[in-house]
């Protein structure tokens, strides 16, 4: 934690905002916020910080991919969530959500978006995109299809609780940023991915104007 705090202090002295992806094994969302982080990318570490029994998730967070794993939210402790939200709002910490990546394959719009992405990627004008990249983007929709019913139920519960957490955070005065973590190895097709993200923000409880601000004014402020 001391090393994290020192890095934050140096950045702030240089006039820079600190974007953190706190996935442990020592610094998670709460520790990052307490030590000066300004933005939590992917809302990383939040689920661990508000899990009813963090020990159940010991070792979780040792991989970057864990920041896009909503399963710990399935065991969200409402009191811990409320406390973390109060802390983030008081310290003006922004959340970058990545709802499109966090809930990949779980969204109610899955079939529609999957078909639209496949049609888009079949456009001859996009032939420069490597085939492996196309398959990665489309595979985001099917990643969890072979998981057991119990594991998928945990994922679904986790994503629903993540939406709940985001909604409470925004209603409490917290500010969010739009992002879909897109790249050639990422979690959404560039361009349409951010449109999907804004739609998912509204599904999570933001107003359309709040969703638009998450992609415009809020990033400028953060």
């Amino acid at each position: 934690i001391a090393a994290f705090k020192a890095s934050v202090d140096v950045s702030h002295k240089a006039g820079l905002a600190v974007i953190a992806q706190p996935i442990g094994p020592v610094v998670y969302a709460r520790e990052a916020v307490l030590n000066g982080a300004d933005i939590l990318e992917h809302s990383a570490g939040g689920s661990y910080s508000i899990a009813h029994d963090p020990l159940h998730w010991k070792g979780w967070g040792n991989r970057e991919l864990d920041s896009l794993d909503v399963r710990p939210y399935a065991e969200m402790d409402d009191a811990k969530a409320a406390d973390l939200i109060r802390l983030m709002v008081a310290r003006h910490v922004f959340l970058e959500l990545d709802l499109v990546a966090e809930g990949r394959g779980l969204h109610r719009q899955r079939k529609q978006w999957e078909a639209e992405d496949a049609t888009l990627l079949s456009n001859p004008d996009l032939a420069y995109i490597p085939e492996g990249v196309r398959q990665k983007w489309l595979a985001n929709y099917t990643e969890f299809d072979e998981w057991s019913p119990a594991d998928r139920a945990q994922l679904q519960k986790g994503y629903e609780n993540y939406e709940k957490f985001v909604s409470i955070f925004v209603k409490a005065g917290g500010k969010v940023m739009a992002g879909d973590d897109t790249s050639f190895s990422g979690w959404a097709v560039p361009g349409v991915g951010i449109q999907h993200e804004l739609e998912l923000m509204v599904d999570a409880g933001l107003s359309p104007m709040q969703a638009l601000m998450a992609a415009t004014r809020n990033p400028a402020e953060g």
Side-chain angles (χ1 to χ4, degrees):
I1 293 180
F4 182 89
K5 181 64 164 61
S7 298
V8 170
D9 289 345
V10 169
S11 297
H12 285 169
K13 286 179 182 178
L16 300 173
V18 174
I19 303 173
Q21 190 175 0
I23 52 176
V26 176
V27 178
Y28 292 95
R30 183 175 180 82
E31 292 78 18
V33 172
L34 287 171
N35 287 281
D38 301 295
I39 302 165
L40 298 185
E41 183 182 18
H42 311 318
S43 302
S47 58
Y48 184 91
S49 292
I50 63 176
H52 179 71
D53 181 10
L55 290 178
H56 182 205
W57 300 97
K58 186 176 182 180
W60 181 92
N62 292 339
R63 307 173 305 148
E64 183 179 6
L65 184 58
D66 289 339
S67 66
L68 295 175
D69 185 337
V70 292
R71 284 178 291 176
Y73 278 109
E75 300 181 6
M76 182 172 71
D77 184 307
D78 289 344
K80 287 184 179 180
D83 180 66
L84 181 60
I85 286 171
R86 283 193 294 269
L87 180 65
M88 288 190 297
V89 172
R91 298 191 176 216
H92 307 290
V93 175
F94 289 72
L95 289 181
E96 188 267 321
L97 301 181
D98 281 304
L99 290 160
V100 71
E102 299 276 6
R104 55 198 184 277
L106 303 175
H107 305 123
R108 63 177 176 81
Q109 304 93 332
R110 169 183 167 167
K111 290 184 178 180
Q112 174 192 343
W113 290 351
E114 188 176 13
E116 291 174 351
D117 285 0
T119 299
L120 175 64
L121 293 173
S122 67
N123 187 327
D125 291 338
L126 300 180
Y128 62 88
I129 300 176
E131 182 61 24
V133 174
R134 300 164 188 267
Q135 294 304 317
K136 170 62 178 70
W137 287 337
L138 293 176
N140 291 329
Y141 291 103
T142 61
E143 180 178 348
F144 305 124
D145 284 0
E146 301 304 318
W147 284 32
S148 71
D151 287 336
R152 281 187 58 84
Q154 187 182 48
L155 276 169
Q156 189 69 50
K157 179 65 173 178
Y159 184 73
E160 291 171 0
N161 279 352
Y162 181 44
E163 288 183 306
K164 177 181 175 182
F165 180 81
V166 169
S167 178
I168 296 172
F169 175 71
V170 172
K171 288 176 181 176
K175 293 185 177 181
V176 300
M177 295 181 177
D180 57 7
D181 200 13
T182 188
S183 68
F184 271 8
S185 60
W187 305 100
V189 176
V192 295
I194 200 66
Q195 297 175 31
H196 296 167
E197 182 72 12
L198 298 187
E199 185 173 339
L200 292 173
M201 287 183 177
V202 175
D203 286 349
L206 279 71
S207 69
M209 179 57 72
Q210 287 173 321
L212 289 172
M213 289 169 60
T216 52
R217 192 180 79 175
N218 292 356
E221 289 183 356

